[in-house]
Amino acid sequence: MTDDALDALTRDLHAHLEATAELPIDRETNRWLGEAEAVARDAATSDLTAPVVKERVQHVEDLLSEVEDTGHEAGNEHLEAARSICRTILNG
């Protein structure tokens, strides 16, 4: 995976998680998503090496594994998109 592709994917990952902050999601789920969003923001906006970005994305994936359902249709769509992006980055 090229650095440009990795950058684009991490920006997309962050955007999906950031979008969940605007939705009415229960407090516990929101906590997991908020932490994942903060880590994704760091991966997307900091000048990090590809291996460090992948470590951050692995952490995001671990945090997202704690969420089964957001209780909101759009939230679930963003959650699934974020999980898919994590898999793409980690397998790329």
Side-chain angles (χ1 to χ4, degrees):
M1 176 179 307
T2 67
D3 287 346
D4 287 343
L6 182 59
D7 288 345
L9 286 168
T10 56
R11 284 192 307 273
D12 286 347
L13 174 62
H14 176 247
H16 280 290
L17 293 172
E18 186 176 48
T20 65
E22 305 298 321
L23 302 173
I25 296 173
D26 73 82
R27 174 175 256 163
E28 184 176 339
T29 300
N30 198 40
R31 188 188 80 194
W32 291 112
L33 293 173
E35 188 172 342
E37 186 270 328
V39 176
R41 180 183 338 108
D42 181 54
T45 62
S46 298
D47 187 23
L48 304 171
T49 63
V52 173
V53 169
K54 288 185 176 188
E55 284 178 24
R56 298 290 200 299
V57 171
Q58 180 64 61
H59 187 60
V60 170
E61 185 177 59
D62 292 344
L63 291 165
L64 295 180
S65 73
E66 297 294 330
V67 178
E68 289 184 32
D69 184 80
T70 67
H72 191 280
E73 185 177 340
N76 288 339
E77 291 171 4
H78 286 297
L79 175 61
E80 190 49 45
R83 286 178 172 152
S84 177
I85 293 168
C86 285
R87 287 189 298 269
T88 298
I89 291 171
L90 295 172
N91 293 326

